[in-house]
Amino acid sequence: MDESELRAPLSRRLGRRRLIGLDAVAAVVYTLALLVFAGDTDVSVLLAVPFAAATGLPLAARRIWPVPVFAAVLSVSTATLLLGLPWDFFAAAAFALYPVALTRRRRRWIPTPLIGTVSGVLILASATVGPTDWHAVIIGRSLLGAALLGASWSLGRGVRERRAHAAHSARQLADQAVSDERLRIARELHDVVAHSMSLIAVKAGVAVHVAEARPDEAVDALRVIETASRGSLAEMRHLLGVLRGGPGSPGDAGADLAPSPGLADLTGLAERAAMAGVHVDLHVDAEDLPEGVALSAYRIVQEAVTNVVKHAAPARCRVRVEAHGLRVRIDVTDDGPGVRVLPGGDGHGLIGMRERVTMYGGDFTAGPRPEGGFAVSAAFPYEP
């Protein structure tokens, strides 16, 4: 666990120098308080001043050298106890121990829960020791000091564990966000490439077969290939531009990048499908959809129409997109034979459509129709 991940939000806001400055102020105030307390006793000033300074002033550096400061303060506090001088009940040592517990790596042989439990017991035990003689006073004060030290250690370790858990949760959320973004980008690239490549492959096959007999038709097919490839490259540049960091980044394509496609682009999709021999009857009854919902609806229709081009062309396809009551419904049907036109194995089109619908908590079905052809149906809710 990196130490920077264990810093509290307050620490990150104030900064290390300001926190050290606050520790310095606390050290001076605590030293003055010890001197005032010593002034109310019979202890000589010449003896009280060095011990008070040695107890309080090192606290200013507790964040810089946690372990040495704690060792020094603990030693001086123990000496004042044994010498019968004005004593701070190990409060300074407990204050110095907190950053040690907060920053030191965890050791399996240090039972922090047991230390916290024993500290509570010692606080109760110290209250039962009366000032009967010097030895009893020493025992009582020692028990109270040990209790304060144990409580400080337990508090520091507890805060460390809580911050470590929060940092671990934050890393998990970040990793999940990265995975989700990779899946989204993969899905977008698949939709762009699969649709365009299917159209290009169909038209390339047409051009090969009619190149000698009907050269004009072959030229028309090449124009379709050119248009489809340019559109696909534009969408891929848009995706890559987003990945490279947006406006101002070295890979930004600026004004050449088109916005994400939506329902208004379905007309162009239908026109491109017609070039591959699939006539699309398009009916759209949806307005003011959120951008992400409109993009998902477009991609679902795009993938469904691409499958018609792959498996059923030439065919007639009917597309209906309706949005009512914060729910979108998409139906794509065709009357083709269902025989694959393009060679190759099964792709990820249906999986991608199902994932998009599942992301919104909707329902998705796809399969052959009894009267012939294939049907894709998706319905999912969305937030306004």
Side-chain angles (χ1 to χ4, degrees), residues 288-291 293 325-327 381-384:
D288 299 328
L289 291 179
E291 182 179 356
V293 177
L326 298 181
R327 188 173 180 86
Y382 66 93
E383 295 294 332

Side-chain angles (χ1 to χ4, degrees), residues 51-52 55 75-88 141:
F51 275 96
T55 302
S75 299
V76 176
S77 295
T78 303
T80 57
L81 171 65
L82 297 177
L83 295 175
L85 299 175
W87 185 67
D88 67 342
R141 290 181 175 181

Side-chain angles (χ1 to χ4, degrees), residues 329-347:
R329 182 172 182 85
I330 302 169
D331 293 295
V332 181
T333 59
D334 68 78
D335 58 359
V339 179
R340 175 180 287 274
V341 175
L342 299 179
D346 294 335

